[in-house]
Amino acid sequence: MIEIRRYTHLQTEEWNRFIAQSKNGTFLFDRDYMDYHSDRFSDYSLMVYRNGKLHALLPANVEGNTLYSHQGLTYGGLITDKSATVTHVLEIFQILNHHLREEGIERVVYKPTPWIYHQLLAEEDLYALFTVCKARLTAREVSSAILREQRLPFTESRRSGIRKAQAAGITIEESADIKQFWNILNENLYRTHGVHPVHSLEELTLLCNRFPDHIHLFAAQQEGQMLGGTLIYDTGQVVHTQYISASPEGKNLGVLDMLFDYIINDKYAHAHCIDFGKSTTDGGTCLNQNLIFQKEGFGGRAVCYDTYEWEIEE
């Protein structure tokens, strides 16, 4: 009743149609997004058919004898249609493990899609990981998110930043100047952590051009000069801040406080959820206290991004 097939570029249209109609997929699983860095990963995405009809997808790549819930994506896991039940998903994982073992895969690293991104409740896979796979939790990153129905007031430190930015004549607007923002981001990351953004300027520009309805840059400006900004990934269900950064001058003027007042209370006041992204590194073992303090000051509260692993037994 269930057949598992390896994805090829010949199934691109079928794959993308399914993602658009699934109960827990986002535009990050569209092949035009996934494949922008296809040269870095050996794709091993799988398509699950039930009675000849596409029923689920697993975005994945492979390294040696390990299957990864795609390493080029923040989250992933099994993407299902609205008819998928617990019984269906348990059966999928039983057959999936058998299929992977026959293909020489001995280990799986799996990143489920956090529940805030679900169009319809879709945690059947978490139950299957526990019962079928005997998976263990190996990483837990913490993000901060705001639900529309449960918004908290800003803390005084955030309100103080807004007043400072207003007094300095800061304005907030949507911008197409990806290069200027990326330079601020790159300089900030390198100065603070000695690293560069995950996405190069060329990659960000490419993705913004491919997904103009989903990816937006909002910038804080002073007399035409960008002092900070945030790159938004709008999935429809969730407004996610993919990148947040400000210049030293922008930080002193509180431009990010004013920017997020606009994002939360104006531009995306209608959004079901606003996700500020992770404040942890090293698999969640290291918490950036200053970063999460800022996000929680806007009313954000914890959502976990988990990673599970299991060995496929003979």
Side-chain angles (χ1 to χ4, degrees), residues 242-259:
Q242 180 71 15
Y243 289 111
I244 306 168
S245 197
S247 66
E249 182 184 0
K251 291 178 182 179
N252 290 335
L253 292 176
V255 299
L256 293 181
D257 295 323
M258 186 174 179
L259 174 64

Side-chain angles (χ1 to χ4, degrees), residues 15-26 29 55-57 78-82 117-120 122:
W15 176 287
N16 288 345
R17 277 201 312 269
F18 185 90
I19 291 297
Q21 299 170 4
S22 67
K23 66 177 183 176
N24 58 336
T26 71
F29 306 129
H55 186 55
L57 301 174
L78 191 72
I79 310 302
T80 58
D81 64 19
K82 295 179 176 63
Y117 289 89
H118 297 177
Q119 304 286 334
L120 187 67

Side-chain angles (χ1 to χ4, degrees), residues 13 25 60 85 134 140 236 239 293 311:
E13 187 176 341
T85 65
K134 306 297 187 285
R140 171 160 281 172
V239 172
F293 175 81
E311 281 72 43

Side-chain angles (χ1 to χ4, degrees), residues 31-278:
R31 297 310 307 198
D32 283 341
Y33 188 97
M34 286 185 62
D35 293 342
Y36 84 89
H37 50 20
S38 58
D39 59 315
R40 299 186 203 169
F41 304 99
S42 178
D43 191 87
Y44 205 96
S45 297
L46 299 173
M47 307 176 74
V48 181
Y49 293 83
R50 185 179 185 87
N51 297 326
K53 181 181 178 182
L54 187 57
H55 186 55
L57 301 174
L58 182 62
N61 67 284
V62 67
E63 275 190 16
N65 62 2
T66 299
L67 181 82
Y68 290 90
S69 184
H70 205 290
Q71 290 174 291
L73 300 173
T74 307
Y75 52 80
L78 191 72
I79 310 302
T80 58
D81 64 19
K82 295 179 176 63
S83 70
T85 65
V86 169
T87 301
H88 291 163
V89 174
L90 290 177
E91 186 179 8
I92 288 172
F93 274 89
Q94 289 168 349
I95 295 173
L96 172 65
N97 283 339
H98 178 74
H99 172 84
L100 293 176
R101 168 53 70 180
E102 289 191 333
E103 293 292 311
I105 304 296
E106 299 176 1
R107 174 172 166 262
V108 179
V109 178
Y110 185 94
K111 298 180 296 188
T113 299
W115 66 270
I116 56 173
Y117 289 89
H118 297 177
Q119 304 286 334
L120 187 67
L121 296 178
E123 291 192 339
E124 295 85 2
D125 61 337
L126 298 186
Y127 185 65
L129 297 186
F130 173 71
T131 58
V132 175
C133 304
K134 306 297 187 285
R136 61 190 180 278
L137 179 68
T138 57
R140 171 160 281 172
E141 308 265 13
V142 68
S143 180
S144 302
I146 299 172
L147 295 180
R148 181 179 58 208
E149 302 83 2
Q150 302 170 10
R151 292 188 177 176
L152 300 174
F154 288 7
T155 60
E156 175 54 31
S157 59
R158 300 281 68 83
R159 293 197 297 269
S160 174
I162 294 170
R163 293 192 295 269
K164 186 184 295 186
Q166 289 172 335
I170 301 299
T171 59
I172 307 298
E173 60 187 53
E174 188 165 0
S175 173
D177 195 344
I178 302 299
K179 182 177 181 180
Q180 192 172 1
F181 173 71
W182 190 90
N183 287 337
I184 293 173
L185 175 66
N186 184 53
E187 290 171 11
N188 198 20
L189 286 174
Y190 193 77
R191 180 175 58 251
T192 307
H193 304 289
V195 298
H196 300 286
V198 173
H199 298 88
S200 69
L201 172 59
E202 292 73 22
E203 288 171 339
L204 272 189
T205 302
L206 173 68
L207 291 173
C208 288
N209 289 335
R210 284 186 178 180
F211 295 95
D213 295 333
H214 295 285
I215 303 178
H216 305 275
L217 172 62
F218 294 92
Q221 310 266 7
Q222 185 183 53
E223 297 179 354
Q225 180 184 1
M226 187 184 299
L227 298 181
T230 182
L231 191 72
I232 293 290
Y233 276 25
D234 184 358
T235 72
Q237 181 76 358
V238 177
V239 172
H240 170 68
T241 58
Q242 180 71 15
Y243 289 111
I244 306 168
S245 197
S247 66
E249 182 184 0
K251 291 178 182 179
N252 290 335
L253 292 176
V255 299
L256 293 181
D257 295 323
M258 186 174 179
L259 174 64
F260 281 107
D261 179 49
Y262 172 75
I263 294 291
I264 296 166
N265 296 314
D266 188 349
K267 181 64 179 181
Y268 290 106
H270 64 282
H272 171 70
C273 179
I274 297 174
D275 179 16
F276 291 105
K278 302 172 186 177

